[in-house]
Amino acid sequence: MECLRSKARTPLNGTGLIGKEPWWKAAVFYQVYPASFKDSSAEGWGDIPGLISELDYLADLGVDCVWLSPVFESPQADMGYDVSDYQAIYAPYGTVVDVDRLTAECHARDMKLILDLVVNHTSVEHAWFKESRSSKTSPKRDWYIWRPARYDSHGRRIPPTNWRGYFAGPTWTWDEDTQEYYLHLYAPDQPDLNWENDECREAIYNDTMRFWLDRGVDGFRIDTVNKYSKRTEYVDAPVTDPQSDSQPAPEMWCNGPRIHEFIREMNQKVLAPYNAVSVGELSNMASPHDVIPYVSASAKELDMVFEFSMIRLGTGGGFGPKYIYRPYTLSTFKETVKKFQTFIEGTDAWTTVFCENHDNGRAVSRFGDTSTPELWRASAKTLALWQITLTGTLFLYQGQEIGMVNMPSEWGIEEYKDVESRNFYQEAVDSGDEQRVRDTMHGLRILARDHSRIPFQWDGGKKNAGFSEGDRTWMRVHDGFGEINAMKQRGDQGSVLEFWKRALRLRKRFKDLFVHGRFTALEEGDEKRFVYLKESTTESGGNRRALVVMNWSKEVQKCVDVKKSLGCEGADEVRLLFSTTDRGPKMVGGEHEAALRPWEGRVYVNFEAGDI
Ligand code: GLC
């Protein structure tokens, strides 16, 4: 029974009827970081056969599409985000035939597979770059970005601009042989491709995209998608860090003058003809409004993007002080979530939902509470409840479904393998400022990319948590794997894993509300509770509502006025759809306003949901 009739409201997000929506809107995507998922060869490094052996686990969880982080041939300067051959597979992962088998095995389970497309840059070892650097007259010289040196007033050679790269240090490296600098936004091992060059773009479309689409993959997660068009004046960025020779300059390469033209072309020439799904990595967006042109259906650019405002909370910005932890309040966090939930309303654009990936610390360690096993479990479930009730396409990261946590805080810098962590730490050491070293280490313990890259914890009773039978693993296995592992949680109805499974089923069953619903923030200034309403309009013009109430603290909190928030007239019209605790759906009348336990989350609805 619906207790409220609809008033005139904006149409459903993304417009159109749900029945006609593309498959990827309500789908659950799952990111696999292959080096750390499952090793079948006892080398201590995950591989594609290992991933295939766990596809049933993913199907059982409720995954619809696997996103595989890069497995291409690579010197691994940045864990495969430095590709030296797009058509070959890095041997420890397997072969092209293994990828074909993975595609077939996913499809056999009604799952899709997307690959990571890394085409802002290649590795220095890629044949294109080798040719480009071979001489100034090489036919591929212009496939990368080469510039002459400048000289300062003392006649010393300095780079063409003062830009700082993402991994610390300048964005330019001097090439002795041809006496010019090449541009790299990331490590010197990752030279940027020149998207201004038509032949280069055609080669990208053909050799990196069509090659894999022709083999049957379903689309791509597109790395650094808004960095392909640089500002071609190549001028200095304003000096904002006077201590350093290099200055943050994302405005010089993010959302550049030709970016929409390039992405539209990529869509028209490759993505659309193959009906391939696309999700782009979009950083440095000033406002949600600027995101719309990338994901508006009528713009025909990308299906989806990842926008990072929420996941970057706590960092000290993208550049120099990135790992100097900056505390923030729950209300700021909620404000960010609201912004990226509501910006698509009334448009034909679409959004994504995620709180983990391979470039960030674990969500339960950052946003939840890992101080006791009880709070860990409660907060991991509440984070799951939060994610599955948000509008947009949901992306999970491997291990999130079992509540994997950050590396132990007593581990030293030697356990951090990531190029970014190591460079930031080294920069702090080189500064000679001991406080900065301590602060950087503190930030790394919370935010480093390494936390999400340690081996998956499959089984508490097995060597290396069941990740590998090898004697060594490429990253250290978490000491707490006996407590947190998939085997222990499988079949345990109180576990984080089983909660995720149920929650994902509910998300799909009530996708009008959870995947597509309108979002209204409630109790916005509250620093302990996270409360919002999701609404949808049914075909008969009725108004279905879900009220999400979460205690985002370790203390008991009062519940909100559920009846009023849901707009119900009688208390018996309120239903508890589900919760993170053992409270059942029979909780009616006054009971539904029982105090919230620490990190408890609940979803109430204004209609009879039937058996769930
Ligand atoms: C993206 C990837 C990150 C990588 C960078 C350079 O941000 O997610 O892991 O280091 O691109 O390719």
Side-chain angles (χ1 to χ4, degrees):
M1 182 184 66
E2 288 160 11
C3 64
L4 264 191
R5 295 286 144 203
S6 66
K7 301 186 201 103
R9 294 294 301 252
T10 49
L12 284 179
N13 292 324
T15 61
L17 295 170
I18 291 175
K20 295 201 180 127
E21 293 290 357
W23 67 268
W24 40 265
K25 287 197 174 176
V28 174
F29 284 64
Y30 184 99
Q31 182 186 357
V32 170
Y33 198 69
S36 296
F37 194 59
K38 180 87 181 184
D39 173 23
S40 72
S41 61
E43 285 169 349
W45 180 276
D47 50 38
I48 298 165
L51 164 57
I52 294 172
S53 72
E54 294 297 348
L55 286 180
D56 287 334
Y57 168 82
L58 298 184
D60 183 48
L61 175 61
V63 171
D64 301 297
C65 181
V66 174
W67 150 23
L68 182 60
S69 283
V71 287
F72 312 108
E73 189 63 79
S74 162
Q76 305 294 332
D78 182 20
M79 288 305 293
Y81 285 92
D82 49 319
V83 181
S84 55
D85 185 344
Y86 292 94
Q87 303 184 358
I89 300 300
Y90 180 56
Y93 284 130
T95 62
V96 172
V97 174
D98 286 328
V99 178
D100 291 344
R101 195 158 68 84
L102 173 64
T103 312
E105 295 282 352
C106 284
H107 290 170
R109 290 166 179 80
D110 266 342
M111 293 195 285
K112 301 195 189 280
L113 174 71
I114 64 172
L115 300 182
D116 221 308
L117 183 68
V118 189
V119 289
N120 174 69
H121 43 265
T122 64
S123 157
V124 274
E125 295 299 322
H126 195 287
W128 295 344
F129 187 71
K130 287 186 181 166
E131 221 178 304
S132 182
R133 88 185 310 177
S134 66
S135 88
K136 276 187 180 154
T137 54
S138 153
K140 292 205 173 50
R141 184 66 170 180
D142 189 45
W143 285 32
Y144 291 82
I145 299 168
W146 294 94
R147 286 290 175 279
R150 295 189 295 178
Y151 292 88
D152 68 11
S153 52
H154 305 287
R156 279 184 305 235
R157 192 185 68 225
I158 54 169
T161 66
N162 65 351
W163 304 348
R164 177 191 163 104
Y166 285 96
F167 295 157
T171 58
W172 300 96
T173 288
W174 179 246
D175 181 57
E176 269 308 325
D177 290 348
T178 58
Q179 297 283 298
E180 278 190 321
Y181 282 94
Y182 64 87
L183 179 79
H184 51 86
L185 302 185
Y186 294 89
D189 318 63
Q190 295 167 292
D192 278 48
L193 285 159
N194 181 15
W195 276 68
E196 302 282 332
N197 181 298
D198 299 344
E199 266 180 37
C200 175
R201 290 203 308 284
E202 282 306 325
I204 291 171
Y205 301 151
N206 219 39
D207 295 15
T208 75
M209 299 180 77
R210 291 192 191 105
F211 176 82
W212 287 105
L213 292 167
D214 283 337
R215 301 189 84 91
V217 307
D218 300 288
F220 300 103
R221 176 269 187 182
I222 310 182
D223 195 57
T224 54
V225 79
N226 57 336
K227 296 179 183 154
Y228 305 157
S229 165
K230 276 78 177 172
R231 303 222 145 71
T232 51
E233 311 86 349
Y234 292 100
V235 290
D236 278 345
V239 176
T240 49
D241 180 3
Q243 315 295 346
S244 168
D245 294 339
S246 338
Q247 305 298 319
E251 69 280 10
M252 300 293 175
W253 60 72
C254 285
N255 312 308
R258 296 184 68 192
I259 192 64
H260 291 292
E261 175 195 334
F262 292 157
I263 299 179
R264 255 195 312 273
E265 179 184 84
M266 177 196 263
N267 185 311
Q268 224 170 50
K269 291 193 169 174
V270 194
L271 296 170
Y274 285 88
N275 200 17
V277 65
S278 57
V279 51
E281 186 197 29
L282 204 67
S283 47
N284 287 100
M285 301 309 292
S287 92
H289 182 74
D290 301 327
V291 177
I292 300 269
Y294 289 97
V295 282
S296 147
S298 52
K300 297 197 176 3
E301 293 193 13
L302 299 164
D303 294 326
M304 302 173 270
V305 291
F306 298 123
E307 200 289 332
F308 295 108
S309 300
M310 189 273 293
I311 210 167
R312 293 279 189 260
L313 285 174
T315 64
F319 294 89
K322 176 169 180 187
Y323 289 105
I324 307 296
Y325 187 73
R326 199 192 284 168
Y328 55 90
T329 59
L330 179 61
S331 52
T332 305
F333 183 84
K334 295 194 293 188
E335 174 63 29
T336 315
V337 173
K338 173 182 153 185
K339 233 194 259 178
F340 288 94
Q341 280 289 283
T342 53
F343 80 106
I344 56 169
E345 288 182 5
T347 76
D348 67 349
W350 189 240
T351 193
T352 53
V353 181
F354 66 102
C355 63
E356 287 196 20
N357 63 23
H358 66 295
D359 290 333
N360 288 281
R362 290 290 184 176
V364 69
S365 300
R366 295 178 61 196
F367 310 127
D369 191 331
T370 56
S371 58
T372 68
E374 292 70 35
L375 291 173
W376 159 75
R377 189 177 300 101
S379 62
K381 287 186 195 175
T382 287
L383 294 180
L385 181 139
W386 165 54
Q387 291 284 285
I388 70 101
T389 54
L390 291 179
T391 290
T393 298
L394 178 62
F395 285 77
L396 261 104
Y397 180 74
Q398 69 181 42
Q400 186 181 352
E401 76 279 14
I402 57 167
M404 277 180 66
V405 297
N406 276 0
M407 308 188 317
S409 55
E410 53 287 4
W411 286 10
I413 189 66
E414 66 284 356
E415 303 296 351
Y416 291 69
K417 307 294 180 205
D418 173 33
V419 56
E420 182 172 288
S421 304
R422 298 192 78 86
N423 287 1
F424 275 71
Y425 184 79
Q426 193 55 46
E427 194 180 34
V429 171
D430 293 345
S431 75
D433 177 348
E434 285 178 16
Q435 189 57 41
R436 182 165 161 196
V437 176
R438 278 195 296 277
D439 290 346
T440 302
M441 200 61 220
H442 171 68
L444 287 170
R445 289 198 170 105
I446 304 168
L447 303 165
R449 311 200 302 177
D450 303 83
H451 298 297
S452 53
R453 301 179 177 191
I454 58 172
F456 191 98
Q457 292 154 213
W458 290 105
D459 190 332
K462 289 207 173 133
K463 182 175 179 184
N464 298 321
F467 158 68
S468 170
E469 289 173 5
D471 291 334
R472 297 178 43 184
T473 55
W474 79 278
M475 277 192 85
R476 184 169 162 185
V477 176
H478 201 292
D479 306 329
F481 77 83
E483 291 310 309
I484 302 179
N485 63 74
M487 183 56 108
K488 187 169 175 189
Q489 297 186 27
R490 230 179 261 192
D492 169 1
Q493 291 312 313
S495 71
V496 177
L497 177 62
E498 294 298 333
F499 183 79
W500 264 107
K501 288 188 203 170
R502 283 200 303 280
L504 290 175
R505 284 200 298 272
L506 277 171
R507 174 175 173 81
K508 286 192 178 153
R509 175 149 165 218
F510 300 103
K511 65 181 175 187
D512 60 315
L513 281 167
F514 299 141
V515 178
H516 295 271
R518 293 178 297 269
F519 177 99
T520 307
L522 302 174
E523 313 290 341
E524 291 181 72
D526 195 317
E527 297 295 352
K528 305 278 183 187
R529 295 174 307 177
F530 194 170
V531 186
Y532 49 86
L533 198 64
K534 297 293 302 284
E535 289 176 88
S536 77
T537 309
T538 61
E539 274 173 21
S540 58
N543 185 246
R544 303 220 298 181
R545 295 180 165 198
L547 175 70
V548 181
V549 184
M550 295 174 287
N551 180 357
W552 216 262
S553 82
K554 53 163 104 263
E555 301 97 37
V556 171
Q557 300 292 332
K558 266 177 56 185
C559 192
V560 294
D561 184 337
V562 175
K563 191 169 63 116
K564 191 162 145 227
S565 308
L566 268 179
C568 288
E569 274 154 27
D572 56 351
E573 290 171 335
V574 171
R575 299 279 178 280
L576 180 73
L577 182 67
F578 73 116
S579 88
T580 57
T581 62
D582 49 7
R583 296 182 203 279
K586 297 205 173 49
M587 189 166 90
V588 290
E591 273 176 77
H592 55 61
E593 287 177 10
L596 296 157
R597 294 176 200 158
W599 281 102
E600 180 176 357
R602 299 179 197 158
V603 181
Y604 301 94
V605 290
N606 69 339
F607 56 90
E608 188 62 73
D611 285 343
I612 59 164

